[in-house]
Amino acid sequence: MRTGLSQHTSLRQELRVNPRLYQAMDMLYMPMMDLQQHLKQELLANPFLELLEPEDETTEQPAAEEQKEQKEKEEEVDWEEILLNGFEVGGTREQYEQLEYTEPVTVETRNLIDHLREQLQMLTLTPRQLLLAEEFLGNINEEGYLAASLDEILGSVNQLMAGHVERDGDGGEDGEGGEDGEGNLENFGPGTPLSGSTNAASAPAVTAPTSPPSPSSPSSPPFYTMNEAEDMLAVIQRLDPSGTGARDLRECLLIQLVELGDTSSLTYRLVNEAFPDLIAHRWNDLAKRFGVEPAAVQAAADQLSRLDPKPGLKYSEQSDGYIIPDLIVEKIGGRYQVFLNDTGMPRLRLSRSYQEIARDKKKMTPENREFIASKMNSANWMIQAIEQRRQTMLKVMNFIVDRQRDFFEKGIEYLKPLTLREVAEVINMHESTVSRVTNEKYVQTPRGVLPLKFFFSSALSTASGEDASARSIRAKLEKMVGEENSAKPLTDQQIVHLFQEQGIQIARRTVAKYRDQLGILPARMRKRV
């Protein structure tokens, strides 16, 4: 085989995606709020783009437009001078501050751990107890449950103590130990930055031996014991909200019942003595065990609905999510009309001042001409991409409205099956483009604000030959269960027969799957006596 360098020619085809095409796809994917922020960033990055508010386009008369343009020219910054000679900070600051992007700042709120810590600070606790309490707080999740066992908490806090005792012992060899080291250990309190601690609310419990090696310093304080941990757990479980610090659902309910003074009722006995049978709804077995009627057992179980199974969520840091619909569907004159909800969307246009600069290329250096050409092309492309996004969204939504007219008129039970491929074939676009248009987009309709993905669902065959939407089937199933006799609830097989009577062919396992998706219990657990 001969080795060496050689040259040869060949022809081949490659598919390369233009970076601008990538950006266009990203813009198509963006919901309304993200697109607004993206356009604001583009306004800052590209001087050839300027903001034109929608109301400015039609409200002013032509004469007023001319007066406004004349006034703007008088007060306008000399952009040509800036481009050629550089920018000088002067009296024009207020003109570019209008386009300054302000980063949204989250407002600090109190979470569950802050609420519990404030209550602990009002109790009479020693620094040693406060240190152990902080270890407990660090292992309470956002639902209010203790996410670590007592052994894990003891191992973590004792490992922390062992590390500080060892450092204090080393300090004693240098002449700084002794009683001072012991005093520092005794003064550990909340907020003290200690290495190895799991005091952060999100930090996992550190597994360590509950009985670490005895330190060499005879004056060091004793390590925490299981009795201290159990006593501190009792303190945590008495704090507000009631049920905090529980290790499971049963303990959480018992804490709340004790707080209500309801320890002698049948409800307390059911939770305390027969919790597995209670959650399995074995009313007859429980009635025989406690010597009461099944109806009394059900009535006692119904009392649990006043308790909170996740007490910590009332102090959750999760903020409310606000939705701005991208499209609006309204019924006008018997027809459904589709509008883009772009009233708050910045309208872009080419900057007139920079267009004038671009026309006079004699005073520019080659670098300036290249900069202006690239920014001008980018601005033109951005305006075209926004308009293309608008037209694409209107095409998709208009087809959805035409296809799902029965849904808008009669309700969810008349929702028809629809796939992305069907929409793509009708509007002559790729399926991935339709997917980007419908992803994370919302539409305001006479039947509420709905995600665009709501209108797409799989199909089930019917006796008439027409397909039924899976979402409408779930709505019918939910209606059947809501209208059933609670003493004789419908089984999955009975629901299958009811669907067959309506001409819908569906398997029992499909009914069970839809029932689980809707959060509907099996017939045995829905039964009332």
Side-chain angles (χ1 to χ4, degrees), residues 20 85 99 135 257 282 287 313 345 357 359 457 500:
R20 290 184 177 179
N85 300 328
L99 300 181
E135 193 68 32
L257 289 172
R282 299 189 181 98
L313 290 184
M345 180 68 63
I357 295 176
R359 294 189 187 100
S457 61
Q500 290 176 349

Side-chain angles (χ1 to χ4, degrees), residues 275-346:
F275 191 67
D277 291 336
L278 176 63
I279 60 177
H281 293 195
R282 299 189 181 98
W283 310 128
N284 293 327
D285 294 343
L286 291 171
K288 294 178 182 178
R289 179 174 177 179
F290 291 98
V292 295
E293 294 294 329
V297 176
Q298 281 191 350
D302 292 340
Q303 295 297 318
L304 294 176
S305 61
R306 58 179 176 164
L307 306 181
D308 190 354
K310 298 178 181 180
L313 290 184
K314 64 178 66 176
Y315 294 97
S316 175
E317 293 180 333
Q318 185 177 4
S319 59
D320 296 331
Y322 296 93
I323 294 175
I324 298 179
D326 301 82
L327 297 155
I328 299 175
V329 176
E330 293 182 355
K331 190 173 184 180
I332 302 175
R335 296 184 59 187
Y336 287 97
Q337 303 289 337
V338 180
F339 306 95
L340 275 171
N341 184 25
D342 56 356
T343 55
M345 180 68 63

Side-chain angles (χ1 to χ4, degrees), residues 460 472-485 488-516 518-524 526:
L460 282 82
S472 65
I473 297 297
R474 285 195 291 267
K476 292 179 180 179
L477 190 153
E478 189 173 15
K479 183 179 180 180
M480 289 178 184
V481 174
E483 296 175 351
E484 69 182 1
N485 183 4
K488 295 181 180 180
L490 296 172
T491 63
D492 293 346
Q493 190 61 43
Q494 290 174 333
I495 294 176
V496 169
H497 293 322
L498 291 176
F499 276 121
Q500 290 176 349
E501 292 175 0
Q502 299 178 15
I504 300 174
Q505 303 298 326
I506 187 172
R508 187 180 61 83
R509 62 178 179 272
T510 305
V511 171
K513 181 181 72 173
Y514 289 170
R515 179 173 49 75
D516 291 338
L518 294 171
I520 299 175
L521 296 174
R524 178 181 59 82
R526 299 199 308 271

Side-chain angles (χ1 to χ4, degrees), residues 177-240:
E179 297 180 358
D180 292 339
E182 178 182 349
N184 292 334
L185 285 171
E186 292 293 345
N187 289 326
F188 285 157
T192 306
L194 305 174
S195 61
S197 174
T198 58
N199 290 347
S202 60
V206 179
T207 304
T210 57
S211 299
S214 300
S216 57
S217 175
S219 60
S220 61
F223 292 97
Y224 290 95
T225 64
M226 183 59 71
N227 290 335
E228 289 180 294
E230 291 175 350
D231 293 342
M232 182 51 62
L233 178 60
V235 173
I236 297 294
Q237 291 180 347
R238 289 196 297 267
L239 300 178
D240 178 75

Side-chain angles (χ1 to χ4, degrees), residues 429-444:
M429 291 186 177
H430 196 271
E431 187 176 346
S432 62
T433 303
V434 179
S435 177
R436 290 186 178 92
V437 170
T438 57
N439 192 62
E440 296 185 8
K441 306 292 193 309
Y442 290 84
V443 56
Q444 179 180 321

Side-chain angles (χ1 to χ4, degrees), residues 196-424:
S197 174
T198 58
N199 290 347
S202 60
V206 179
T207 304
T210 57
S211 299
S214 300
S216 57
S217 175
S219 60
S220 61
F223 292 97
Y224 290 95
T225 64
M226 183 59 71
N227 290 335
E228 289 180 294
E230 291 175 350
D231 293 342
M232 182 51 62
L233 178 60
V235 173
I236 297 294
Q237 291 180 347
R238 289 196 297 267
L239 300 178
D240 178 75
S242 180
T244 302
R247 287 160 286 189
D248 52 37
L249 177 60
R250 173 179 172 273
E251 188 175 21
C252 179
L253 297 177
L254 288 174
I255 293 172
Q256 296 180 60
L257 289 172
V258 171
E259 185 72 18
L260 294 173
D262 199 7
T263 57
S264 60
S265 64
L266 179 59
T267 303
Y268 182 85
R269 293 181 62 192
L270 290 173
V271 176
N272 189 34
E273 303 174 19
F275 191 67
D277 291 336
L278 176 63
I279 60 177
H281 293 195
R282 299 189 181 98
W283 310 128
N284 293 327
D285 294 343
L286 291 171
K288 294 178 182 178
R289 179 174 177 179
F290 291 98
V292 295
E293 294 294 329
V297 176
Q298 281 191 350
D302 292 340
Q303 295 297 318
L304 294 176
S305 61
R306 58 179 176 164
L307 306 181
D308 190 354
K310 298 178 181 180
L313 290 184
K314 64 178 66 176
Y315 294 97
S316 175
E317 293 180 333
Q318 185 177 4
S319 59
D320 296 331
Y322 296 93
I323 294 175
I324 298 179
D326 301 82
L327 297 155
I328 299 175
V329 176
E330 293 182 355
K331 190 173 184 180
I332 302 175
R335 296 184 59 187
Y336 287 97
Q337 303 289 337
V338 180
F339 306 95
L340 275 171
N341 184 25
D342 56 356
T343 55
M345 180 68 63
R347 295 295 181 90
L348 304 181
R349 69 178 179 185
L350 293 177
S351 174
R352 297 174 182 176
S353 57
Y354 267 91
Q355 285 180 337
E356 294 176 0
I357 295 176
R359 294 189 187 100
D360 189 5
K361 300 181 180 180
K362 297 180 180 179
K363 299 180 181 180
M364 303 179 191
T365 63
E367 292 80 5
N368 289 339
R369 284 197 296 269
E370 182 180 356
F371 170 81
I372 289 176
S374 63
K375 292 298 182 181
M376 175 72 80
N377 293 334
S378 177
N380 279 319
W381 176 86
M382 177 63 66
I383 295 174
Q384 294 173 6
I386 294 174
E387 183 59 27
Q388 184 179 3
R389 178 183 184 273
R390 289 163 49 88
Q391 296 301 325
T392 304
M393 293 182 64
L394 287 174
K395 284 182 181 179
V396 172
M397 194 63 219
N398 275 311
F399 176 79
I400 292 175
V401 170
D402 292 340
R403 180 65 178 269
Q404 305 291 2
R405 184 178 179 86
D406 289 341
F407 161 75
F408 291 106
E409 294 287 350
K410 303 176 184 179
I412 190 173
E413 295 183 6
Y414 295 87
L415 189 69
K416 296 180 180 179
L418 183 63
T419 62
L420 298 175
R421 183 182 299 274
E422 294 179 55
V423 179

